């Protein structure tokens, strides 16, 4: 068990939790705060959305232990809030709910939208709400309910009480624990996280980054693939960072590499959201072992998400002029995109990405043009395939097959 201190709906609590316990399970089972619903438990449907340090976050994919020093607000905590009261009335008047399963998450997201984006138009509203799924209403009533509250307050925008941080600690890693040591009664410890600059847009050096945190706390994905070319040929191609970047769907170098360092951009499409992370990469090559380490930091100003990654790869010679490339990726996501760092989803995306990368690499080695490689990473497609997998296995369980 791990002891942490956090605030839930204004009440300070010292709690003991299993390191693997999700925040939503803690809230519902121990805190008896059942207003937060559980839908997919996969970070996709948004039914479990709560506010963590003022930002909406998925409590099903947030570990309770990651909330040390955080301020959690569930729908129960907003019961007397005038903004949520207006939204509740609008939902009622615009028929914005049927079964009501998605409604707590919808209300929390709506609360965030009307207080954070008072001038949002309908397109922005739909975009902001795209992380909350409703299987009943067709969204028309929900959009018009939120829009009616926005319209009513165009002249004097709504505000809410300020919170301690702008982004939650989960993913943002900005929370500074009040107690420097977290007591653990088990084997795992969670050291205090480092504070990151709030509005960093571009950087020209990666030396100040906390790579140890990425190594220790990052999500790790291991992949390998084979290419029908010799190790020396593949290694030579890997020397050209620009060409390799073109083999990664959605990636592009925006400056010419100098001393193994370059600026770049990765575009990821997740449903209606397209995020462009731009930042810096640097590579350290080990010619003797045919291996390299790539470190990268990127930021998407629209979703206010930030990513840090360490990619280590090695090319192994196998028989018959076939090379095997093994890749380890460790990364930390911060901000709204962190909600999608559930390993099942990412593993699925990584599998597809690796296949696509290996195919592009072979095509490039066979003489294809670099321009033909450019493509966007449509992660939503892979997320949907995971969802379908889950729905099918649920149906199979239901009919006993
Ligand atoms: Fe958390 Fe669906 S239950 S996103
Ligand atoms: Fe039923 Fe939205 S009202 S899921």
């Amino acid at each position: 068990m791990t002891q942490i201190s956090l605030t839930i709906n204004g009440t300070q609590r010292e709690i003991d939790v299993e390191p693997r316990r999700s925040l939503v399970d803690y809230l519902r089972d121990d805190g008896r705060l059942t207003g937060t619903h559980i839908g997919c438990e996969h970070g996709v449907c948004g039914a479990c959305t709560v506010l963590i340090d003022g930002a909406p976050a998925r409590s099903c994919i947030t570990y309770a232990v990651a909330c040390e020093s955080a301020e959690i607000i569930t729908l129960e905590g907003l019961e007397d809030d005038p903004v949520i009261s207006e939204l509740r009335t609008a939902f009622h008047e615009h028929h914005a709910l049927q079964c009501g399963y998605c409604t707590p998450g919808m209300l929390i997201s709506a609360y965030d939208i009307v207080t954070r984006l008072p001038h949002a138009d309908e397109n922005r509203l739909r975009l902001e709400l795209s992380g909350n799924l409703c299987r009943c209403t067709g969204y028309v009533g929900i959009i018009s309910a939120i829009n009616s509250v926005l319209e009513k307050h165009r002249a004097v925008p709504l505000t809410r009480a300020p919170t301690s941080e702008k982004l939650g600690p989960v993913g943002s890693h900005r929370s500074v624990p009040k107690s420097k040591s977290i007591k653990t009664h088990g084997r795992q410890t969670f050291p205090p996280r480092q504070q990151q600059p709030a509005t960093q847009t571009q950087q020209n050096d990666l030396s100040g980054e906390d790579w140890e945190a990425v190594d220790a706390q990052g999500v790790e994905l291991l992949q390998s693939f084979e290419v029908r070319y010799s190790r020396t040929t593949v290694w030579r191609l890997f020397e050209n960072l620009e060409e390799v970047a073109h083999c990664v769907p959605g990636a592009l170098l925006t400056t010419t590499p100098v001393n193994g360092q370059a600026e770049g951009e990765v575009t990821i499409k997740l449903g209606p959201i397209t995020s462009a992370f731009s930042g810096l990469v640097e590579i350290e090559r080990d010619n003797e072992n045919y291996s390299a380490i790539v470190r990268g930091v990127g930021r998407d100003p629209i979703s206010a998400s930030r990513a840090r990654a360490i990619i280590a790869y090695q090319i192994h010679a196998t028989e018959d002029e076939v090379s095997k490339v093994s890749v380890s990726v460790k990364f930390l996501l911060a901000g709204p995109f962190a909600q999608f760092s559930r390993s099942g989803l990412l593993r699925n995306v990584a599998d597809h990405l690796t296949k696509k990368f290996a195919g592009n690499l072979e095509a490039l080695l066979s003489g294809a043009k670099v321009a033909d490689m450019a493509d966007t990473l449509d992660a939503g497609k892979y997320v949907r395939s995971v969802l379908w997998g889950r729905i099918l296995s649920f149906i199979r369980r239901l009919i006993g097959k």
Side-chain angles (χ1 to χ4, degrees):
M1 295 286 250
T2 301
Q3 190 182 76
I4 62 162
S5 152
L6 76 174
T7 306
I8 300 174
N9 296 334
T11 307
Q12 170 84 27
R13 300 187 192 198
E14 306 285 328
I15 63 170
D16 279 322
V17 277
E18 289 269 4
R20 63 182 174 187
R21 193 157 174 73
S22 69
L23 178 62
V24 73
D25 283 345
Y26 175 79
L27 291 172
R28 289 178 57 88
D29 298 345
D30 301 353
R32 299 281 173 230
L33 295 165
T34 50
T36 304
H37 288 177
I38 303 179
C40 64
E41 286 189 83
H42 225 78
V44 175
C45 74
C48 64
T49 306
V50 297
L51 293 174
I52 301 180
D53 289 340
R58 317 286 209 211
S59 56
C60 71
I61 52 171
T62 301
Y63 288 122
V65 288
C67 297
E68 163 68 22
S69 299
E71 190 182 331
I72 314 292
I73 295 180
T74 68
L75 200 55
E76 291 91 340
L78 295 170
E79 201 170 334
D80 300 324
D81 188 283
V83 179
I84 214 83
S85 161
E86 269 197 52
L87 283 164
R88 265 198 312 252
T89 308
F91 267 54
H92 175 73
E93 285 170 355
H94 291 258
H95 309 289
L97 68 150
Q98 286 181 30
C99 78
Y101 206 85
C102 67
T103 311
M106 286 285 180
L107 281 170
I108 293 276
S109 295
Y111 178 82
D112 172 62
I113 295 167
V114 300
T115 52
R116 182 171 52 89
L117 300 164
H119 304 295
D121 60 10
E122 191 179 319
N123 278 347
R124 184 66 194 262
L125 181 51
R126 285 182 180 275
L127 187 94
E128 292 285 330
L129 213 61
S130 58
N132 291 74
L133 306 182
C134 173
R135 61 187 173 176
C136 307
T137 63
Y139 302 98
V140 174
I142 296 172
I143 297 294
S144 68
I146 303 172
N147 220 1
S148 72
V149 176
L150 280 168
E151 286 296 336
K152 203 167 139 195
H153 295 277
R154 286 275 188 241
V156 186
L158 289 165
T159 50
R160 56 171 135 151
T163 42
S164 52
E165 300 280 335
K166 287 239 170 67
L167 274 178
V170 182
S172 78
H173 294 192
R174 286 196 202 158
S175 177
V176 183
K178 288 172 191 111
S179 56
K180 286 295 173 202
S181 63
I182 302 170
K183 288 179 207 158
T184 60
H185 309 308
R187 52 199 156 74
Q188 205 166 354
T189 58
F190 291 81
R193 294 185 168 117
Q194 289 213 334
Q195 194 153 17
Q196 299 292 336
T199 53
Q200 196 173 10
T201 51
Q202 193 57 280
Q203 58 191 101
N204 46 25
D205 183 353
L206 296 180
S207 56
E209 288 297 329
D210 184 3
W211 295 112
E212 274 177 27
V214 181
D215 196 35
Q217 299 163 27
V219 176
E220 184 173 25
L221 298 170
L222 299 171
Q223 295 283 325
S224 67
F225 60 90
E226 289 189 345
V227 195
R228 283 165 296 147
Y229 286 87
S230 74
R231 177 156 78 160
T232 322
T233 312
V234 179
W235 182 245
R236 217 177 293 131
L237 176 78
F238 273 33
E239 263 174 33
N240 189 333
L241 256 186
E242 269 164 319
E243 294 208 333
V244 174
H246 268 97
C247 295
V248 182
L252 186 72
L253 286 192
T254 50
T255 62
T256 310
V258 178
N259 299 329
Q261 214 175 63
E263 284 174 21
E265 210 173 272
V266 180
T267 307
I268 302 171
K269 199 169 171 310
L270 196 63
I273 303 172
T274 301
S275 277
F277 286 83
S278 53
L280 203 61
V281 284
E282 70 179 15
I283 183 164
E284 246 179 69
R285 284 166 60 88
D286 176 350
N287 288 321
E288 218 167 280
N289 293 306
Y290 295 84
S291 66
I293 295 179
V294 184
R295 293 185 185 84
V297 172
R299 190 172 185 280
D300 170 37
I302 302 221
S303 69
S305 297
R306 192 166 186 270
R308 283 177 289 168
I310 304 174
I311 303 166
Y313 65 82
Q314 185 163 23
I315 305 167
H316 310 270
T318 63
E319 291 167 25
D320 304 329
E321 294 284 287
V322 174
S323 306
K324 185 175 170 187
V325 184
S326 54
V327 189
S328 138
V329 182
K330 274 197 178 173
F331 65 90
L332 274 180
L333 287 173
F337 249 79
Q339 296 176 7
F340 298 97
S341 45
R342 177 91 170 199
S343 61
L345 291 178
L346 290 170
R347 228 166 282 287
N348 200 276
V349 173
D351 280 349
H352 285 81
L353 191 63
T354 309
K355 278 191 199 118
K356 189 94 187 164
F357 176 73
N360 283 346
L361 203 64
E362 274 208 344
L364 197 64
L365 285 162
S366 335
K369 290 214 170 62
V370 152
D372 300 336
M373 308 289 160
D375 192 5
T376 301
L377 170 59
D378 185 354
K381 195 163 68 184
Y382 308 133
V383 170
R384 285 193 290 281
S385 78
V386 173
L387 268 183
W388 271 115
R390 284 174 68 84
I391 291 166
L392 285 177
S393 75
F394 175 70
I395 293 169
R396 274 193 211 109
R397 277 205 310 277
L398 214 60
I399 60 175
K401 285 201 169 174

